[in-house]
Amino acid sequence: MKKILVVDNHPLMLKFMTDLLTKKGYQVKAAQDGLTALNILKSYIPAVIFIDLVMPNIGGIKLCQIIRRMPELRDVYLIILSAIAAEEKIDPAEFGADICIAKGPFNEMAQNVLDALDRQDQGISPGPQGTVIGVENIHSREITRELLSIKKHFEVILGSMSEGILEITPEARVVYANPAALALIDKPEEELLASNFGDLFYETDHQRIKDLFGQELNAPRSIPEDSPVRLNDRQISLNLVPLKDKENKIIVILNDVTDRRRMEVQLQQIRKMEAVGTLAGGIAHDFNNLLMGIQGNASLMLLDVDSTHPHHKRLNNIVKLVQSGSKLTRQLLGYARKGRYEVKPINLNQLVEETSETFGRTKKEVAIHQELAEDLFPIEADQGQIEQVLLNMYVNAWQAMPDGGDLFLKTMNTTHEEMKGKLYEPKPGNYVLLAITDTGVGIDKNTRERIFDPFFTTKEMGRGTGLGLASVYGIIKGHGGYIDVDSEKGRGTTFSICLPASPKEAIEKKELHEEALKGTETVLLIDDEDMIIDVGKQMLEALGYEVLIARSSSQAIDVYNANKDRIDMVILDMIMPDMNGGEIYDRLKQINPSIKVLLSSGYSIDGQATKILERGCNGFIQKPFNMEQISGKIREILDKK
Amino acid sequence: MDFTELAQKIGLEDDEFLELVELFMETCASDISRLQVAIDQGDTQQVVEAAHSIKGASANLGFMEISSVAKEMEQNARDDSLDGAAEAVETIKKGLDLIKEKL
């Protein structure tokens, strides 16, 4: 007994066809829409299926396409039963149907249906594939065509929307999807239709989707933008709107909020950085002055104790702790993209060579290999910050190689075009690339995603501040550069840093003095902090200098005017309460155009020191400094011919 | 209106035909109430759909008078006119009453 399935949404048509075919000895099942038909077809394999074209819950054309993709139904005979097919001149073969029979008065239609089945039984084709049978007596063609054109009108609207629109049953099965929804879900329509809506999402979101359908849907419900669900690595907000028709179907509007969310996160990040920057800048000045006081006192005490004295080691420990303390502020400032005090053209190779040599001396288990481009472009940068970046990177590499390993340092020239294919869009121009590769444990994907986050650390509590890479990132961004990480667990890591090249010529770096250099000249020390004046004066005197002091800007001008013939140089604090360092410098320079001034600062606004230096000021020193550092700077200025 | 004649015309036994007519009456009843609400609210799109359903089903069974009234109502509604729609509904209801008497 041949099995038949009839799919039509009009009960009258369904009953007529069922009765007619049952009477002729066929086994017949009926479905009132495409979705029901697909449910029946899970366990019922008919030889012939009659399908109405215009139906709710998966229309006839879609249903044909889905059926043709089901392997067990590939050979089923598909007969379209519709008034509309005749109007539209659609070719049933196009969507996989065999023939089309036009609807009309039952007697004519019945004859056509039975004829088609007889012929199919006998293996005779009822007509060439794609034939439309029984169109002669169809009524009201015009009207049907208009009905179709309204439908098409909505389809154009749905097709051009950027939101994904789905129609689903109360049981959450998909019966319609517009092109935007198909693109978001990334599945062919035949596969999507009749599938379960919740299954489209990741398991972690299943409960939330389930909750949406939890109670009867009377009013619109949503998964809002601020807590979206994930769909193929996109972030999606959902709006469920009940249709309130008799089938209680639901329209789902899918909005891709990925880009908006990303921008919000970026904005949040910028705000966070501003806050940290303001905070760090605020404390850096006072903090560094405090450290200067501690450093100065320790330096002065060290003068009186030789290396055999039990306090010698303790005092050196204090000096080291002061350096760690000042590093902490530098890192906070770096993260907040501040702290570029003195920006000048420098040679990155030279910095890499010097810092890696210092580092290599202390960490013998790491073999350092250099491959530095000889013709490397200069970069315009704050040397202290770039050194901070390099040392951070070396320390990270060393920590990734607990049993020792190789550290490769490579520099080369590059351009924005060669940096393509990255997450960022580099500004056009020449760049200098520094690649730092270790042979360590590598970084997994999850850690990689968070690696530049402030206060994120893989080290146990109390071991790392989580500021190292965050400050590296901030400093590189602050210099208009880019940083990338490439790593695989167990196979080592490469950090690539790109910094904009400068057309200016690099300023040769002076050698650092390991020992305090003495002198006998006269120095005017200007600072509003008593502590700095106190230790500064004694440090300079210990170095052999004659020291005059001034605690305010007006005092500074007076003292200089009175002693301009014997003052050889001035050490000027940049932040004074009544007049800023730049103004005092200009006033002093008016008095003596060839005056020699060393700027000192605990913290200043980016570029402020650079501006004063550009007006002829002779040098800059960052607080806290020790005897060796200050003496080197002083000799550098005074010995310059 | 002779059911036997109508049944023969579309090739059905009397009882089969009657069953279909009963189903037709049911679906028409729901279409009619949909029509009345839609006309009250001036919802021409709903009028078009309900009238379209009545028109097709009545034509299937050979009730051509009802079909032509529904057809005219559908066409008017499509032109955004509900003129005479209420009267047309009454005409259809009378036609349905006649059928009901024969059941």
Side-chain angles (χ1 to χ4, degrees), chain A residues 42-292:
Chain A
K42 280 181 192 160
S43 56
Y44 178 81
I45 309 293
V48 179
I49 307 178
F50 288 93
I51 297 174
D52 182 22
L53 272 192
V54 182
M55 287 185 295
N57 292 345
I58 308 179
I61 292 178
K62 297 276 157 58
L63 183 60
C64 288
Q65 289 167 340
I66 295 169
I67 287 172
R68 281 298 181 230
R69 285 185 69 255
M70 298 163 83
E72 66 277 18
L73 288 172
R74 199 167 291 144
D75 299 323
V76 71
Y77 200 69
L78 289 182
I79 301 176
I80 295 295
L81 208 56
S82 179
I84 283 167
E87 319 298 322
E88 263 291 283
K89 282 189 187 158
I90 40 171
D91 179 1
E94 231 170 67
F95 42 89
D98 293 285
I99 59 162
C100 176
I101 294 174
K103 280 180 184 173
F106 278 157
N107 52 334
E108 290 165 26
M109 209 184 85
Q111 202 48 54
N112 290 329
V113 165
L114 295 177
D115 281 355
L117 285 175
D118 279 347
R119 283 163 176 254
Q120 202 256 339
D121 257 350
Q122 296 157 22
I124 311 166
S125 166
Q129 212 201 26
T131 306
V132 179
I133 298 166
V135 289
E136 301 78 18
N137 297 314
I138 304 294
H139 43 81
S140 64
R141 290 191 180 193
E142 284 304 315
I143 286 175
T144 319
R145 192 169 297 139
E146 282 180 41
L147 190 71
L148 280 171
S149 80
I150 285 183
K151 195 167 166 319
K152 283 206 173 131
H153 183 75
F154 285 121
E155 240 155 49
V156 170
I157 294 172
L158 286 166
S160 56
M161 284 176 79
S162 57
E163 288 93 350
I165 308 284
L166 294 177
E167 187 179 340
I168 61 177
T169 63
E171 297 77 35
R173 294 184 69 185
V174 180
V175 294
Y176 170 82
N178 75 338
L182 289 173
L184 280 175
I185 294 163
D186 195 26
K187 268 188 186 175
E189 193 173 28
E190 305 91 82
E191 209 175 295
L192 176 64
L193 294 182
S195 64
N196 185 288
F197 174 69
D199 293 345
L200 299 174
F201 298 91
Y202 290 95
E203 199 151 343
T204 43
D205 288 326
H206 278 182
Q207 192 54 46
R208 295 180 65 202
I209 303 280
K210 223 172 129 189
D211 292 345
L212 270 189
F213 290 89
Q215 302 144 2
E216 204 183 325
L217 196 68
N218 294 318
R221 227 174 263 172
S222 65
I223 285 190
E225 205 179 292
D226 53 10
S227 55
V229 286
R230 271 174 66 208
L231 182 63
N232 299 321
D233 282 332
R234 307 295 294 172
Q235 301 190 64
I236 307 285
S237 73
L238 299 177
N239 280 296
L240 269 68
V241 185
L243 272 182
K244 293 182 178 161
D245 59 358
K246 56 179 186 284
E247 290 164 274
N248 286 321
K249 275 190 291 188
I250 302 157
I251 297 292
V252 184
I253 303 164
L254 298 94
N255 246 315
D256 184 349
V257 296
T258 317
D259 294 339
R260 214 178 308 165
R261 291 274 298 166
R262 195 175 291 152
M263 275 172 62
E264 273 167 24
V265 169
Q266 275 173 359
L267 195 68
Q268 222 174 8
Q269 179 75 4
I270 289 169
R271 285 199 188 124
K272 205 159 65 178
M273 277 192 342
E274 270 173 11
V276 175
T278 310
L279 181 72
I283 61 167
H285 175 256
D286 292 352
F287 196 64
N288 282 334
N289 274 311
L290 276 176
L291 289 174
M292 182 68 240

Side-chain angles (χ1 to χ4, degrees), chain A residues 10-13 15-16 19-20 23 103-107 109-110 139-140 142-144 146-147 150 246, chain B residues 9-13 16 19-20 23-24 27 45 48 52-53 55-57 59-61 71 74-75 78:
Chain A
H10 202 289
L12 191 63
M13 187 60 72
K15 176 154 177 56
F16 170 72
D19 288 354
L20 176 73
K23 203 165 72 180
K103 280 180 184 173
F106 278 157
N107 52 334
M109 209 184 85
H139 43 81
S140 64
E142 284 304 315
I143 286 175
T144 319
E146 282 180 41
L147 190 71
I150 285 183
K246 56 179 186 284
Chain B
K9 207 172 163 188
I10 57 173
L12 290 173
E13 301 296 328
E16 290 167 350
E19 264 185 65
L20 284 177
L23 185 59
F24 167 73
T27 57
Q45 182 59 29
V48 167
H52 186 79
S53 171
K55 179 198 69 183
N60 287 148
L61 291 172
K71 179 181 168 181
E74 182 189 342
Q75 234 153 1
R78 207 173 286 283

Side-chain angles (χ1 to χ4, degrees), chain A residues 285-469:
Chain A
H285 175 256
D286 292 352
F287 196 64
N288 282 334
N289 274 311
L290 276 176
L291 289 174
M292 182 68 240
I294 300 172
Q295 168 75 62
N297 280 303
S299 289
L300 291 168
M301 286 168 82
L302 273 169
L303 290 177
D304 294 335
V305 293
D306 62 37
S307 56
T308 58
H309 193 281
H311 287 169
H312 188 269
K313 202 179 153 203
R314 300 234 174 264
L315 287 167
N316 270 326
N317 282 345
I318 291 175
V319 170
K320 272 188 202 141
L321 290 169
V322 166
Q323 282 163 1
S324 302
S326 95
K327 188 176 146 199
L328 202 60
T329 13
R330 278 208 307 277
Q331 291 199 323
L332 270 176
L333 287 170
Y335 162 68
R337 303 186 189 180
K338 288 187 190 248
R340 289 187 305 285
Y341 300 125
E342 196 188 354
V343 178
K344 56 186 183 191
I346 53 174
N347 180 351
L348 182 62
N349 280 347
Q350 199 186 342
L351 282 188
V352 170
E353 276 170 9
E354 284 170 7
T355 49
S356 64
E357 198 198 315
T358 315
F359 176 77
R361 270 206 303 270
T362 57
K363 304 287 182 308
K364 299 249 189 263
E365 63 273 34
V366 177
I368 299 174
H369 311 270
Q370 293 181 348
E371 192 187 328
L372 308 178
E374 278 178 24
D375 60 344
L376 197 70
F377 297 130
I379 54 168
E380 269 175 81
D382 181 286
Q383 187 181 310
Q385 283 205 321
I386 300 299
E387 281 172 357
Q388 191 184 332
V389 166
L390 293 172
L391 286 170
N392 260 310
M393 301 311 298
Y394 303 156
V395 168
N396 277 333
W398 168 68
Q399 283 167 341
M401 304 186 287
D403 302 320
D406 296 290
L407 176 63
F408 298 91
L409 304 172
K410 186 181 173 183
T411 59
M412 59 185 281
N413 291 327
T414 185
T415 64
H416 68 282
E417 275 165 9
E418 289 167 48
M419 291 154 63
K420 271 191 179 151
K422 300 285 170 68
L423 284 169
Y424 46 79
E425 191 83 19
K427 281 188 189 150
N430 287 325
Y431 286 82
V432 167
L433 169 72
L434 167 65
I436 299 154
T437 303
D438 66 52
T439 54
V441 291
I443 307 166
D444 62 36
K445 188 169 177 281
N446 283 345
T447 309
R448 242 174 13 242
E449 278 172 10
R450 300 192 53 199
I451 198 165
F452 297 117
D453 285 1
F455 313 118
F456 173 76
T457 177
T458 55
K459 292 161 203 154
E460 64 222 66
M461 204 55 147
R463 286 283 311 280
T465 56
L467 274 174
L469 278 176

Side-chain angles (χ1 to χ4, degrees), chain A residues 530-548:
Chain A
D530 288 339
M531 172 69 83
I532 306 293
I533 290 286
D534 180 38
V535 295
K537 182 169 188 283
Q538 290 189 56
M539 281 166 85
L540 292 169
E541 282 171 354
L543 288 166
Y545 296 99
E546 189 91 13
V547 184
L548 298 174

